[in-house]
Amino acid sequence: MSGFVGKDKDIVFRQLLEYKSFTYSYLVADPDTKEAILIDPVIETVPRDSKIVKDLGLTLKYAINTHVHADHITGTGFLKKQFPTCKSAISAASKADADIKLKEGDKLTFGKYELEVRSTPGHTNGCITYVWHEKEMAFTGDALLVRGCGRTDFQEGSSETLYNSVHSKIFSLPPNYTLYPAHDYTGQTSTTVEEEKMMNPRLTKSKEEFVKIMKELNLPYPKQIDKALPANLVCGLYNLPEEFSKS
């Protein structure tokens, strides 16, 4: 696989965009054992992601979510149809169906690597951040975005909880760690712990100021929430469009 792994010869890493909801999915793998994990897959892009996994000769060990998404249907259930040995995983606190219910401190191994699970609720009760210490990366879901954060006005959201989660579980990582969000709406792909601690316009404020900012956002109701939430509580396998339910 030496020609597929890029400049970091000991890992496979792909950041993949679903452009309708501006969702980032992440494929990480050990090129020696071929074991792979796909983070936050989207159902519409499962054919693309499956092809990449097969083209690279990988074994998809886990398809995992950072939380129960409200803006798209997860691809984990569809991926399990494509890769029968693949296991789905999500936070136990989310109350969603999955093969593995994750909690604080759990580890997901793939080859010689592992992702550490950190509970980062606030956007939802079940938000988690996956930390890849060996490569100084963290996948923050909607808890922390580039110069922003997830909304807290629905789906068990709490501004106070989110503020505490980011400061205690993400900002406590080494300053050079690269952070990869679940979304970005301005074309940015990543940030660092130090950048966000210094420049995030919301989370650099006091907790009281942060709560006020979040309360005054007045965001519109998510377009996909009524379809996405019930589907994502059952691994994305609920009232699927015909093209997916027959696959």
Side-chain angles (χ1 to χ4, degrees):
M1 290 190 66
S2 60
F4 297 151
V5 296
K7 68 184 183 66
D8 292 315
K9 302 298 183 184
D10 57 344
I11 67 169
V12 173
F13 173 74
R14 298 289 187 275
Q15 183 178 38
L16 304 162
L17 175 67
E18 192 284 303
Y19 63 90
K20 291 182 180 177
S21 62
F22 297 97
T23 298
Y24 286 127
S25 303
Y26 298 93
L27 179 67
V28 297
D30 181 333
D32 295 323
T33 66
K34 311 294 194 295
E35 288 186 335
I37 297 178
L38 189 59
I39 303 169
D40 283 338
V42 179
I43 193 166
E44 284 86 358
T45 51
V46 165
R48 175 201 66 190
D49 300 345
S50 298
K51 186 175 187 303
I52 293 172
V53 169
K54 292 172 182 177
D55 285 350
L56 297 182
L58 302 174
T59 299
L60 190 61
K61 187 175 182 181
Y62 301 117
I64 65 179
N65 282 293
T66 53
H67 64 292
V68 174
H69 299 274
D71 55 2
H72 67 266
I73 296 176
T74 180
T76 52
F78 192 24
L79 281 163
K80 288 178 60 179
K81 290 186 173 186
Q82 312 300 308
F83 304 96
T85 62
C86 175
K87 302 294 185 184
S88 60
I90 199 168
S91 169
S94 72
K95 306 274 195 300
D97 288 343
D99 297 310
I100 302 168
K101 308 291 182 66
L102 298 166
K103 61 184 184 305
E104 174 79 18
D106 283 349
K107 306 286 175 60
L108 291 172
T109 62
F110 57 111
K112 57 182 171 292
Y113 299 118
E114 65 180 23
L115 297 180
E116 176 203 351
V117 174
R118 294 194 174 195
S119 178
T120 49
H123 172 60
T124 73
N125 281 347
C127 286
I128 51 182
T129 291
Y130 298 104
V131 184
W132 192 359
H133 287 289
E134 295 101 331
K135 294 301 168 185
E136 300 177 341
M137 298 178 181
F139 304 92
T140 58
D142 285 15
L144 182 64
L145 308 177
V146 180
R147 307 295 190 271
C149 63
R151 62 195 293 176
T152 58
D153 59 333
F154 70 97
Q155 209 179 347
E156 312 119 5
S158 166
S159 299
E160 293 90 345
T161 300
L162 180 59
Y163 188 92
N164 292 336
S165 292
V166 172
H167 279 265
S168 65
K169 300 293 181 64
I170 300 175
F171 284 176
S172 61
L173 291 167
N176 62 305
Y177 271 40
T178 303
L179 305 177
Y180 293 96
H183 301 280
D184 190 85
Y185 307 99
T186 65
Q188 299 184 82
T189 57
S190 65
T191 183
T192 67
V193 171
E194 185 69 11
E195 281 184 57
E196 295 308 310
K197 286 175 72 173
M198 293 177 61
M199 304 178 199
N200 190 293
R202 299 175 186 174
L203 288 154
T204 52
K205 307 294 194 226
S206 69
K207 186 190 295 187
E208 292 73 22
E209 290 175 297
F210 175 76
V211 170
K212 185 174 185 292
I213 290 169
M214 298 304 289
K215 186 176 181 179
E216 295 175 352
L217 288 179
N218 296 318
L219 297 170
Y221 190 71
K223 293 179 181 179
Q224 297 294 319
I225 188 171
D226 293 327
K227 180 171 67 173
L229 279 187
N232 290 338
L233 286 170
V234 290
C235 216
L237 299 177
Y238 173 81
N239 282 349
L240 289 184
E242 186 176 352
E243 66 267 28
F244 298 120
S245 59
K246 289 184 176 180
S247 299

